Amino acid sequence: MVSHNNQKKIAVVNDFSGFGRCSIAVALPIISVMKIQCCPVPTSIFSNHTGFDSFFFEDYTPKMEPYLAEWRKLGLHFDGICTGFLGSEEQISLVKKFLEEFGRPDTVVLIDPVMGDYGKPYPTYNMKMCREMKKLVQYADILTPNLTEACILTDTPYREKWRMAEIEKMAQELSDMGPEKIVITGIPQGSFVANLCFEKGKDVMVRRTHKVGTSRSGTGDIFAAILAADAVNGVPFGDSVKKASRFIKKCIISSIEKDIPLTDGVCFEEHLAKLGK
């Protein structure tokens, strides 16, 4: 019998944007250059992402089940599954089924709970979706919320100033929901930005880097893709977070040098070869 499972594979459940460097469009080349086959599951199709003034959009929810039915026929299983933006309760439910069917006991599941930023949920996120996302979190081995999303998932009021002990407490609460490893990203610390890395049974690590420029689309997707690929390749969690943070910083610097608009994401292409080493 022919097997389609002889090579390491990561399924990426996210939207596809033709322009703007985010979601599947950045995950696919990054995971591929890290020597893993990337298998996209599109949740919606955009000509360019929603940070632009106008865009074409098609909801792919009705097509997801027949799409996955063909994978079912092929008997596919995945070494990793990485989820990003989910636009409805129905999509979250479909992802739960996908994780249960196509994962294995040793499949690494990374969930990036794309729910909000700057202290507020995204307009598409209502209370029902927030509750469903909390249920999805229990499937994660690795969880990568930003500070806003960590607050939403733990019902913690958002504010501008935090002590690291308070953020560590949120990480512990998130871990109690299921994930072994958590990175709370984008923690402001003066001229630095920090990521808090929590791993069950190990000391908490805080990775700080100097702020460079302003927020750009797709950096969270790049971060998640590197962590997912490294996890499948057996790279220690702390090393992976450090690598992802440094890579994104280099990409942001290059984007500033080339005067790339913020909406256009980061020009990561010229740095890709370094990830493959």
Side-chain angles (χ1 to χ4, degrees):
M1 180 181 289
V2 173
S3 173
H4 301 285
N5 298 306
N6 297 331
Q7 182 186 8
K8 291 179 180 178
K9 300 191 299 300
I10 293 176
V12 176
V13 187
N14 210 336
D15 61 78
F16 175 82
S17 293
F19 186 76
R21 291 193 189 92
C22 64
S23 308
I24 287 172
V26 297
L28 201 159
I30 285 170
I31 290 170
S32 297
V33 81
M34 294 176 76
K35 301 178 175 62
I36 298 171
Q37 184 183 6
C38 180
C39 304
V41 181
T43 58
S44 52
I45 308 294
F46 292 88
S47 56
N48 42 281
H49 64 71
T50 58
F52 289 86
D53 291 335
S54 66
F55 49 87
F56 166 83
F57 162 74
E58 182 178 6
D59 181 5
Y60 214 65
T61 305
K63 303 175 180 68
M64 288 175 69
E65 181 50 45
Y67 183 106
L68 295 174
E70 297 302 318
W71 282 11
R72 195 174 293 120
K73 293 177 188 177
L74 296 172
L76 299 185
H77 294 285
F78 296 93
D79 301 273
I81 298 173
C82 183
T83 75
F85 179 75
L86 302 174
S88 66
E89 293 170 67
E90 186 178 356
Q91 285 190 352
I92 296 173
S93 178
L94 284 168
V95 169
K96 287 180 192 172
K97 293 176 184 176
F98 177 74
L99 293 170
E100 290 167 355
E101 180 175 359
F102 288 90
R104 299 176 300 186
D106 58 346
T107 299
V108 176
V109 176
L110 185 149
I111 291 177
D112 184 8
V114 185
M115 304 168 73
D117 209 350
Y118 303 109
K120 296 180 180 178
Y122 293 130
T124 54
Y125 255 82
N126 55 39
M127 289 305 297
K128 285 184 179 179
M129 285 186 65
C130 290
R131 284 197 295 270
E132 289 305 306
M133 182 56 76
K134 288 178 184 179
K135 295 176 185 177
L136 187 63
V137 164
Q138 68 181 321
Y139 291 86
D141 298 298
I142 303 172
L143 188 70
T144 60
N146 61 30
L147 188 53
T148 297
E149 291 153 355
C151 287
I152 294 171
L153 289 169
T154 59
D155 298 314
T156 304
Y158 181 87
R159 60 182 189 276
E160 294 297 325
K161 294 183 179 180
W162 297 84
R163 297 194 308 272
M164 275 298 168
E166 295 171 319
I167 297 175
E168 183 179 340
K169 181 175 179 290
M170 276 199 288
Q172 179 64 66
E173 287 183 44
L174 291 169
S175 182
D176 291 342
M177 297 179 187
E180 290 279 330
K181 300 170 185 176
I182 295 160
V183 188
I184 298 179
T185 63
I187 303 165
Q189 290 194 315
S191 61
F192 291 85
V193 63
N195 296 323
L196 184 140
C197 308
F198 179 97
E199 189 171 0
K200 282 184 180 178
K202 296 188 178 181
D203 292 337
V204 171
M205 294 181 294
V206 178
R207 302 288 190 187
R208 296 179 178 88
T209 57
H210 278 284
K211 284 182 185 175
V212 179
T214 54
S215 178
R216 289 176 176 268
S217 66
T219 53
D221 299 305
I222 293 172
F223 188 85
I226 293 172
L227 260 61
D230 269 350
V232 167
N233 284 330
V235 176
F237 183 55
D239 294 346
S240 181
V241 171
K242 188 175 181 180
K243 177 201 294 187
S245 300
R246 287 181 173 178
F247 180 78
I248 290 167
K249 184 176 179 179
K250 288 176 184 176
C251 295
I252 291 173
I253 291 171
S254 294
S255 302
I256 293 170
E257 290 172 349
K258 294 180 185 298
D259 197 25
I260 303 297
L262 295 179
T263 51
D264 297 8
V266 294
C267 47
F268 65 90
E269 295 85 357
E270 61 197 68
H271 299 286
L272 264 180
K274 296 170 188 174
L275 282 177
K277 291 181 180 178

